[in-house]
Amino acid sequence: MPLAPADDTFAAALSAQLPEDTLRATEPRYLEEPRGRWAGSSRHLALPRTAQEVAIILRACTESSVGVVPYGGGTGLVGGQIAPAEMTEPLILSLERMNTIREVYAEENVMIAEAGVILADVQNTAADVDRLFPLSLASEGSARIGGLVGTNAGGVNVLRYGNTRDLVLGIEAVLPDGQIWHGLKRLRKDNTGYDLRHLLIGAEGTLGIITAAALKLSPIPAGRGTALMVVKSPQAALKLLSLARSQMGEGISAFEIMSRMGLDFLAEKVPDVRQPFADHPEWLVLIDVGLARGLDPAEALETLFAEGLEAGLVSDGLIAQSEAQADDFWQVRERIPEANRMIGAVSSHDISVPLSAIPGFITKGYEAIGALGEFRVNCFGHVGDGNLHYNVFPMPGRSRADHDNQREDIKRAIHDLCHEMGGSVSAEHGIGRLKVGDLERYGDPAKLSAMRAIKAALDPAGIMNPGAVLRQS
Amino acid sequence: MPLAPADDTFAAALSAQLPEDTLRATEPRYLEEPRGRWAGSSRHLALPRTAQEVAIILRACTESSVGVVPYGGGTGLVGGQIAPAEMTEPLILSLERMNTIREVYAEENVMIAEAGVILADVQNTAADVDRLFPLSLASEGSARIGGLVGTNAGGVNVLRYGNTRDLVLGIEAVLPDGQIWHGLKRLRKDNTGYDLRHLLIGAEGTLGIITAAALKLSPIPAGRGTALMVVKSPQAALKLLSLARSQMGEGISAFEIMSRMGLDFLAEKVPDVRQPFADHPEWLVLIDVGLARGLDPAEALETLFAEGLEAGLVSDGLIAQSEAQADDFWQVRERIPEANRMIGAVSSHDISVPLSAIPGFITKGYEAIGALGEFRVNCFGHVGDGNLHYNVFPMPGRSRADHDNQREDIKRAIHDLCHEMGGSVSAEHGIGRLKVGDLERYGDPAKLSAMRAIKAALDPAGIMNPGAVLRQS
């Protein structure tokens, strides 16, 4: 069934059911996204303050078959938050006014946060009660809980604490027909029926609107340590991770890989980042550990380095001697995306493969790209999770635009390779509108058919984030 | 639409599509369950060897509207595996022949196991490659992976490692229409579409048949320690857990509570269990830790005890000096259910509440039961997860049968209380056929309506485990 536009008549009728100023004219910032791939189009923006108001909005949209594009912090990288000009004009639904931390249960390690709360505020509120909310990613200063949960965001601490879905005990959500699901349970165990929570988490707003979440906090580890270690190869990095795990168990919070290309890009484009090694190593890992009382993190990292050296895995290393130095190490990792943007990628990939396939993927990836022309590859990321950002850049002197006609071939080559190796073509960014075709190409047919059946069952009018994740039928 | 019986005509037609001996006459053991509440009724049993055979079976059942009751190890406590005499006779589908461990990827911490593999075999195979599969529960010698995953089983290590759903990276499953979902991904991050895995996990076979799972293994912690500590109250137990967490982080594998009643029952009914304290304490916790290299578990437990003593939380304690003594401590906890069975509960409850609500729940639970008559309560379980087995027994000299007419009132009182406190009336056992009414009573209406929509979308003929979780429509 075709959707109707969110036109002035619809907006006026909906507005009459809501408190003054809940609907507004859409401002341009709701129509832009970080990578500048899409320009959105929508005249009406809803800014509800409560789940009840969200319910009124969704009920009206279902009744009138008007599409809704949910908007969190606007930091998504796959266009899930954008209403492209070619779609029937939807209503933008921003959760930014639902920005209350409703409760903190420190002794339970639980916090109830509304969808509009910014991640950094959750992190800080947790720290205030001596707890950790471990979700951490580059956009934490603007990304909001609703979007993070709706897209099952990843980040640097997944290795230890899991993806966003693993940090959510319960959710409150509004279903497309306007029913409010009061699911803010603070339980570690609850086997009463289908896990609707995990179905809505990562559905990218296509099945309902998450209005609040019961978030799982953790104790802050007693001691933190950070090191950079030069490894021989990605294979050596994985062996080092195994060593680290047999030594420190769950104590490893992050295990990130960088390559010489990334360090070169940083040196060229972001020279204020302190380079840890004058001679940029081929492969470098950043290790962050948080250990129990009684263990000295620096000492544990020394031991790991010594064992890695003996096993021929590492050749050089630095252990942070202060928080400031740890931050410097993290700058190296965290500002690579900034350097990447300044160089201008021909194609970026957010892939994951089984851990043991990583070395093979990197080798074969270079071969596949090489077969398509001369490019530079900056491969970096969450190697401990099998998740690499494998980004392809033009050679010096050439630009992204010079390769516009090769982008699809490059993407296809990398995604085909990843798929053949049992991987995922979207490890942490989601499908959004960018990867709908990839999901159709690589997704399991039985899974896709189940997804479509679920979408039709829960959102028969097809109003929820139309065209995201699944093509509009 | 009413279901058709799995009669001889249907069985003969299905049998012709399958290898010889795939269908058999149902043996009595498939029609019994551990607590003896139901006697099943079904003449035909399918014993497929592959997912393809499962697909043929489900397709035929969908076409003929014949119900299927999936059968794993038969250890479920809520009747999900039973075809009661009053239902239209279904086909029993046992996965016991799909009992191959397909692959072990030790370096990735992954194992691929078919649905029919017994849990103990998974644990042992993991141990053979120096890894831990942490799911552990009383029935591990007979429970099978398919049933454990299908019911999202709990157990004693949830505190550290999560529920079964947290130990599953991917699944292979057959949908009711016979499509096979090849979802055995070995990925830590995969944001490509709806999380069908979590939807099927815990759906108790009502949405499809899980035929294999990619299981997450863990490194074996370097050192293990086990202690029993006498605590003043459940409140003190929770404070002790907080202390333990701030000291040892994720190092606490299990944190179980027992009460004097449980110890008395054991002494009376299972006298071969060594009682740790001659004078049975009011409340006792069993703590199991697995710590990283460099930490002495016994020393860490000493420190915890000393801090607990200083804080007025604990009054006595024992730290295991050997594996044998650790096993003795665990016997105390693990054989309580055996003593319970011998005493004969009037009503058993598998509840969870938010952690901070536990002391209040226990106090109010005693009051609520006291208002209904004179009973003994044995409250024990996974207090670190907020999950208590709160079981009500007759006074000495009376029997379970003497209180048959009060059972429903007792159940209602405990479940009402649990629900009012934000809890779950089935923390780890699931809904099965026993708690369908509880789910209807306590379940969120929006969630229930979404569940029914999903069930109708994926299983329109209603063949999958009819009457389990959701009432047959």
Side-chain angles (χ1 to χ4, degrees):
Chain A
M1 198 174 60
L3 291 173
D7 57 17
D8 293 346
T9 314
F10 171 78
L14 174 56
S15 199
Q17 301 177 56
L18 291 163
E20 204 178 336
D21 194 38
T22 305
L23 256 63
R24 283 200 194 164
T26 306
E27 293 158 43
R29 66 188 182 92
Y30 296 97
L31 304 171
E32 296 158 1
E33 52 85 39
R35 291 189 175 166
R37 288 204 180 96
W38 287 273
S41 170
S42 165
R43 281 165 299 169
H44 297 285
L45 166 72
L47 297 161
R49 291 169 187 81
T50 64
Q52 286 70 24
E53 291 176 16
V54 174
I56 291 168
I57 293 164
L58 294 197
R59 202 173 298 122
C61 287
T62 285
E63 278 166 13
S64 302
S65 293
V66 165
V68 179
V69 172
Y71 193 91
T75 61
L77 295 174
V78 289
Q81 72 276 42
I82 283 292
E86 65 272 20
M87 80 186 266
T88 304
E89 188 181 335
L91 182 69
I92 310 280
L93 177 65
S94 169
L95 280 295
E96 67 200 66
R97 279 179 175 163
M98 291 192 67
N99 62 353
T100 302
I101 292 178
R102 291 191 194 160
E103 296 280 355
V104 181
Y105 302 90
E107 76 285 16
E108 288 182 18
N109 285 309
V110 177
M111 180 191 301
I112 313 284
E114 290 186 340
V117 180
I118 287 174
L119 174 52
D121 293 334
V122 170
Q123 293 168 339
N124 294 334
T125 304
D128 288 346
V129 294
D130 200 28
R131 292 294 184 277
L132 176 72
F133 183 62
L135 180 61
S136 173
L137 34 73
S139 60
E140 59 198 30
S142 44
R144 296 178 192 268
I145 287 301
L148 292 160
V149 174
T151 61
N152 185 33
V156 295
N157 290 332
V158 172
L159 183 68
R160 180 172 192 158
Y161 297 100
N163 293 286
T164 299
R165 69 169 69 256
D166 303 305
L167 305 175
V168 176
L169 295 173
I171 58 179
E172 174 189 273
V174 183
L175 301 182
D177 63 3
Q179 285 190 88
I180 301 174
W181 172 35
H182 299 281
L184 286 175
K185 298 253 179 177
R186 290 148 32 213
L187 305 174
R188 310 284 160 166
K189 284 176 156 180
D190 179 20
N191 270 346
T192 51
Y194 304 163
D195 201 322
L196 211 54
R197 166 188 55 145
H198 278 303
L199 185 62
L200 292 186
I201 296 173
E204 306 185 30
T206 63
L207 298 177
I209 299 289
I210 294 166
T211 51
L215 303 172
K216 205 198 296 191
L217 310 179
S218 290
I220 298 174
R224 181 192 172 194
T226 308
L228 288 169
M229 296 192 196
V230 174
V231 290
K232 257 185 16 194
S233 62
Q235 175 77 16
L238 290 169
K239 286 191 173 160
L240 187 66
L241 175 59
S242 269
L243 266 188
R245 277 187 157 150
S246 64
Q247 179 194 348
M248 293 179 259
E250 293 99 330
I252 303 135
S253 305
F255 195 91
E256 301 277 311
I257 199 164
M258 292 160 276
S259 68
R260 175 178 293 167
M261 195 64 78
L263 301 172
D264 290 351
F265 281 9
L266 264 185
E268 182 186 337
K269 296 292 185 187
V270 198
D272 61 300
V273 170
R274 198 186 304 253
Q275 288 281 340
F277 302 95
D279 194 5
H280 297 174
E282 198 67 39
W283 294 103
L284 183 64
V285 292
L286 171 64
I287 309 170
D288 213 291
V289 303
L291 302 183
R293 248 199 282 157
L295 288 175
D296 179 335
E299 213 172 274
L301 287 165
E302 292 275 11
T303 304
L304 176 64
F305 179 74
E307 291 184 2
L309 201 62
E310 196 178 303
L313 304 173
V314 303
S315 60
D316 202 352
L318 291 167
I319 293 170
Q321 301 302 316
S322 64
E323 276 294 309
Q325 204 181 4
D327 289 348
D328 277 355
F329 290 1
W330 270 103
Q331 284 282 305
V332 178
R333 165 63 185 86
E334 291 198 324
R335 297 187 69 185
I336 287 178
E338 188 181 333
N340 284 348
R341 271 192 299 277
M342 294 168 83
I343 301 272
V346 179
S347 182
S348 302
H349 313 93
D350 164 42
I351 64 93
S352 66
V353 289
L355 276 185
S356 59
I358 283 188
F361 174 81
I362 291 177
T363 310
K364 289 183 188 164
Y366 288 161
E367 288 168 16
I369 297 301
L372 293 170
E374 269 204 294
F375 295 96
R376 293 180 291 177
V377 172
N378 183 11
C379 167
F380 66 102
H382 320 296
V383 69
D385 309 314
N387 175 198
L388 296 174
H389 299 302
Y390 189 94
N391 296 355
V392 180
F393 296 85
M395 294 299 283
R398 309 206 68 189
S399 80
R400 168 184 162 84
D402 294 339
H403 299 287
D404 276 349
N405 62 337
Q406 289 172 286
R407 185 162 303 119
E408 283 313 305
D409 290 345
I410 291 172
K411 219 174 262 303
R412 176 64 62 88
I414 293 302
H415 285 174
D416 279 359
L417 176 62
C418 167
H419 181 66
E420 280 159 25
M421 299 183 92
S424 165
V425 299
S426 188
E428 56 177 12
H429 294 167
I431 298 298
R433 293 183 167 77
L434 181 66
K435 296 189 177 176
V436 171
D438 291 308
L439 179 59
E440 289 170 347
R441 181 174 174 82
Y442 302 110
D444 179 89
K447 176 179 168 176
L448 281 168
S449 110
M451 283 175 59
R452 291 188 186 107
I454 291 165
K455 170 75 176 174
L458 297 184
D459 179 23
I463 62 156
M464 298 306 308
N465 213 358
V469 185
L470 293 170
R471 200 175 295 275
Q472 273 180 271
S473 56
Chain B
M1 199 176 60
L3 292 172
D7 57 18
D8 292 346
T9 314
F10 171 78
L14 174 56
S15 199
Q17 303 176 56
L18 292 162
E20 205 178 338
D21 194 36
T22 306
L23 256 63
R24 284 198 193 164
T26 306
E27 294 158 42
R29 66 187 180 92
Y30 296 97
L31 304 171
E32 297 158 0
E33 50 85 41
R35 290 189 176 168
R37 289 204 179 95
W38 286 274
S41 169
S42 164
R43 280 165 299 167
H44 296 284
L45 166 72
L47 297 160
R49 290 168 187 84
T50 64
Q52 287 70 25
E53 292 176 15
V54 174
I56 291 168
I57 294 164
L58 294 197
R59 202 173 299 123
C61 288
T62 285
E63 278 165 13
S64 302
S65 292
V66 166
V68 179
V69 172
Y71 193 91
T75 61
L77 295 174
V78 289
Q81 73 276 42
I82 283 293
E86 65 272 21
M87 80 187 265
T88 305
E89 187 181 335
L91 181 69
I92 309 281
L93 177 64
S94 169
L95 281 293
E96 68 200 66
R97 279 178 175 164
M98 291 192 67
N99 62 353
T100 303
I101 292 178
R102 291 192 194 160
E103 296 279 355
V104 181
Y105 302 90
E107 76 286 16
E108 289 182 17
N109 285 309
V110 177
M111 181 191 300
I112 312 283
E114 291 186 339
V117 181
I118 287 174
L119 174 52
D121 293 333
V122 170
Q123 293 167 340
N124 294 335
T125 304
D128 288 345
V129 294
D130 200 28
R131 293 293 185 278
L132 176 73
F133 183 63
L135 180 61
S136 174
L137 34 73
S139 60
E140 60 198 26
S142 45
R144 295 177 193 270
I145 288 300
L148 293 160
V149 174
T151 61
N152 185 34
V156 295
N157 289 332
V158 172
L159 183 67
R160 179 173 194 156
Y161 297 101
N163 293 285
T164 299
R165 67 169 69 254
D166 304 304
L167 304 175
V168 176
L169 295 173
I171 58 179
E172 175 190 272
V174 183
L175 302 181
D177 63 3
Q179 285 189 89
I180 300 174
W181 173 35
H182 300 280
L184 286 176
K185 299 254 177 177
R186 289 149 34 215
L187 305 173
R188 309 285 159 165
K189 283 176 156 179
D190 179 18
N191 270 345
T192 53
Y194 305 162
D195 201 321
L196 210 55
R197 166 188 54 146
H198 278 304
L199 185 64
L200 292 187
I201 296 174
E204 305 184 30
T206 63
L207 298 177
I209 298 290
I210 294 166
T211 50
L215 303 172
K216 204 196 299 190
L217 310 179
S218 290
I220 298 175
R224 180 191 172 194
T226 308
L228 288 168
M229 296 192 195
V230 174
V231 291
K232 256 184 19 193
S233 62
Q235 176 77 15
L238 290 169
K239 286 191 173 160
L240 187 67
L241 174 60
S242 269
L243 267 188
R245 279 188 157 149
S246 64
Q247 178 194 349
M248 294 180 257
E250 293 98 330
I252 304 135
S253 305
F255 195 92
E256 301 277 311
I257 199 164
M258 292 160 276
S259 67
R260 174 177 293 167
M261 195 64 79
L263 300 173
D264 290 351
F265 282 9
L266 265 185
E268 182 185 339
K269 296 293 184 185
V270 198
D272 61 302
V273 169
R274 196 187 305 252
Q275 288 281 341
F277 302 95
D279 194 5
H280 297 174
E282 198 67 37
W283 295 101
L284 183 64
V285 291
L286 171 64
I287 309 170
D288 213 290
V289 303
L291 303 184
R293 249 200 281 157
L295 288 174
D296 178 337
E299 212 173 274
L301 287 165
E302 291 275 10
T303 304
L304 176 64
F305 180 73
E307 290 185 2
L309 202 62
E310 196 180 305
L313 304 173
V314 303
S315 60
D316 202 352
L318 292 168
I319 294 170
Q321 301 302 316
S322 64
E323 276 294 308
Q325 204 181 5
D327 289 349
D328 277 356
F329 290 2
W330 270 104
Q331 285 281 306
V332 179
R333 163 63 185 88
E334 292 199 324
R335 297 186 71 182
I336 287 178
E338 188 180 332
N340 284 347
R341 270 192 299 276
M342 295 169 83
I343 301 272
V346 179
S347 182
S348 302
H349 313 93
D350 164 41
I351 63 92
S352 66
V353 289
L355 277 185
S356 60
I358 283 188
F361 174 83
I362 292 178
T363 310
K364 288 182 190 165
Y366 288 161
E367 288 167 16
I369 297 302
L372 293 170
E374 269 204 295
F375 295 95
R376 291 181 292 178
V377 173
N378 184 10
C379 167
F380 66 103
H382 321 296
V383 69
D385 308 315
N387 176 197
L388 296 174
H389 299 302
Y390 189 95
N391 297 354
V392 180
F393 295 85
M395 294 300 283
R398 309 206 68 188
S399 81
R400 169 184 162 82
D402 294 337
H403 299 286
D404 276 347
N405 61 338
Q406 288 172 286
R407 184 164 302 118
E408 283 313 304
D409 290 345
I410 291 172
K411 218 173 262 304
R412 175 65 61 87
I414 292 302
H415 285 174
D416 279 357
L417 175 63
C418 168
H419 180 67
E420 280 159 26
M421 299 183 93
S424 165
V425 299
S426 188
E428 56 176 12
H429 295 166
I431 298 297
R433 293 183 166 78
L434 181 66
K435 295 189 178 176
V436 171
D438 292 308
L439 179 59
E440 289 170 346
R441 180 175 175 84
Y442 301 110
D444 178 89
K447 175 178 168 175
L448 281 168
S449 110
M451 283 176 59
R452 290 188 186 107
I454 291 165
K455 169 76 174 173
L458 296 184
D459 179 22
I463 62 157
M464 298 304 309
N465 212 359
V469 185
L470 293 169
R471 200 174 295 275
Q472 273 180 271
S473 54

